[in-house]
Amino acid sequence: MLRRLVAGLAAIVLVVEAALLVLVHFVLGRTTANQSMSIAGSDPDVMSKATYAMGAGMGAFLVLCAVLAAVTAIRDRAPGRFGRVVLISAAVTHGVLGVLTAALVNWAAFATMMLILCLLVLTLTSYAARPGDGSGDGAGEDTPPLPPTPPFGEIKPTSP
């Protein structure tokens, strides 16, 4: 029950974050276009369109992550390989951005990024793929388990 709640909450938070990022990039793009800003002589029109494209790309990525988290919550099963890769990349991105926001923005932004990171990591770990539950990639389903090993490994002589 808790893991479904966390995955659903992660989906909601990711949609809100996507909407806010698209809005911020829209405002930045409009400001760049209206004031004809340029950096080192670059074209202001290209800069504003690149800002729009970046906002759309980031928003689409976060919405994809939200859909994957929502599907995970609804099905109550671990995401497949593609879903895990996308959610892990989102978690790593939020970790890196969290460090940058702590250094460049403020602690509230850092706390927000860490909250989203925690929701993503908790979703991934609570829905960890288990052998034989059908959520994995299929590798290792037909292989027998390994024999038990001694607690300290294999004992070998040190001299001949």
Side-chain angles (χ1 to χ4, degrees), residues 71-128:
V71 167
T72 299
I74 290 169
R75 289 184 181 169
D76 199 23
R77 271 193 352 218
R81 179 182 288 174
F82 174 75
R84 283 193 304 264
V85 167
V86 170
L87 291 175
I88 288 170
S89 66
V92 169
T93 302
H94 279 86
V96 170
L97 289 177
V99 170
L100 290 174
T101 56
L104 300 174
V105 183
N106 61 18
W107 290 105
F110 172 76
T112 303
M113 296 304 284
M114 291 302 104
L115 172 73
I116 298 169
L117 172 68
C118 289
L119 287 172
L120 286 170
V121 169
L122 189 56
T123 299
L124 286 166
T125 56
S126 65
Y127 283 102

Side-chain angles (χ1 to χ4, degrees), residues 146-150:
L146 296 173
T149 59

Side-chain angles (χ1 to χ4, degrees), residues 28-79:
L28 288 174
R30 293 292 278 187
T31 303
T32 304
N34 289 340
Q35 295 189 2
S36 297
M37 294 179 176
S38 69
I39 296 175
S42 59
D43 185 18
D45 190 43
V46 172
M47 287 182 59
S48 66
K49 288 184 179 168
T51 303
Y52 293 145
M54 181 62 104
M58 289 172 58
F61 176 71
L62 289 172
V63 167
L64 173 66
C65 292
V67 166
L68 290 171
V71 167
T72 299
I74 290 169
R75 289 184 181 169
D76 199 23
R77 271 193 352 218

